[in-house]
DNA sequence: TTAAGCGATAGTTTCC
DNA sequence: GGAAACTATCGCTTAA
């Protein structure tokens, strides 16, 4: 009798998970490459990529803060009985 | 004459670059989320995600080593006159 | 002649670096403990520490974005010739 | 009658807690910066910071193990009636 | 072209 | 057990 570790079904399952992750990571790397290309293109047009990165970073931080704030408002509203638990 | 920094065309160009990058980064983040989900699913099936990560890391290194070797073989072949310059 | 690795001077130097780092890490841990205590005290007064953490996180993000923006302004000013290189 | 959330006293209390935590976190960040500086200085003197980090980690584990052992000895001593309850 | 500095990401640990 | 903070490693960019 095969142990779970060597069972064909489990092994196939594991293989499937691994392959799904590897495919996703490959896609992620492709997108990272695309991003590099856009920066290279912008640089070729005379833009300062360092400043561009900084702008993007600030916009990302602003967006993250905004989302957190909205979430916080929801927390407050719920605390004040304006929303049922678990909604929002 | 407007300087490049304040010209409408240049500003639009910059905006376009920024937006392209931000969209790509969003896609990248979505994929990162997908990967997390697969790990969570695997964990739910009883697999050890820490080990899975190690396996994937090792496979990635193996793949890199394999590519290096193939590249090296091509270099040797070219050095031996078995391939024309610039091919391979 | 001793090699650099085994030289007394170098060993003393290394020991000194290690001890300085360990002392600093101890101070850092003490402060982390103080933070925990403040949270515990607030909890004892009936405050929701989860929400407090979120508020602090938002304030931190806002502060970081503000600093980046100020830095970015300096970059722009320099680009426009308003500051000499290396200053600011 | 004001609810606790909107009472001036409670708001001041909350503000005070938040500020105390933020000040402590700032101190913590300063120390983290100091640690980075020491590593940078050591690197400038030719030391391998990666190895230094390992050494420090090992020493920390050793210290933790030593404390565990001493604690265990105290437990034994108390169990053997060598110390009054609550001392050590 | 490569070293070094920096930013981002992945992993570990800790807290709730 | 799940989330968040911290740490360490990795890869990119830049400057020499």
């Amino acid at each position: 009798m095969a142990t779970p570790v060597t069972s064909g079904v489990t092994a196939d399952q594991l293989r499937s998970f691994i392959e799904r992750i590897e495919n996703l990571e490959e896609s992620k790397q492709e997108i990272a490459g695309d991003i590099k290309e856009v920066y290279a293109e912008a640089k070729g047009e005379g833009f300062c990529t360092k400043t561009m990165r900084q702008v993007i970073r600030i916009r990302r931080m602003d967006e993250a803060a905004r989302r957190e704030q909205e979430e916080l408002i929801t927390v407050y509203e719920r605390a004040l009985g304006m929303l049922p638990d678990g909604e929002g």
Side-chain angles (χ1 to χ4, degrees), chain A residues 13-61:
Chain A
Q13 222 183 346
L14 178 59
R15 197 189 327 277
S16 167
F17 281 129
I18 298 280
E19 282 171 6
R20 280 168 66 194
I21 290 167
E22 285 178 340
N23 289 335
L24 286 168
E25 288 194 339
E26 191 181 337
S27 301
K28 195 150 72 85
Q29 278 316 106
E30 279 167 16
I31 291 176
D34 292 345
I35 291 172
K36 272 180 62 175
E37 279 178 33
V38 178
Y39 274 117
E41 191 184 336
K43 189 173 196 170
E45 296 288 330
F47 292 103
C48 168
T49 56
K50 181 173 178 175
T51 303
M52 284 175 65
R53 286 177 194 278
Q54 202 169 3
V55 168
I56 287 168
R57 199 159 51 232
I58 290 170
R59 283 163 61 100
R60 183 164 43 214
M61 290 190 301

Side-chain angles (χ1 to χ4, degrees), chain A residues 62-78 83 88:
Chain A
D62 286 348
E63 175 65 13
R66 197 188 58 71
R67 288 192 194 187
E68 283 259 0
Q69 268 168 8
E70 285 184 0
E71 200 183 322
L72 187 59
I73 288 169
T74 303
V75 170
Y76 283 152
E77 286 174 343
R78 180 162 337 196
L83 280 177

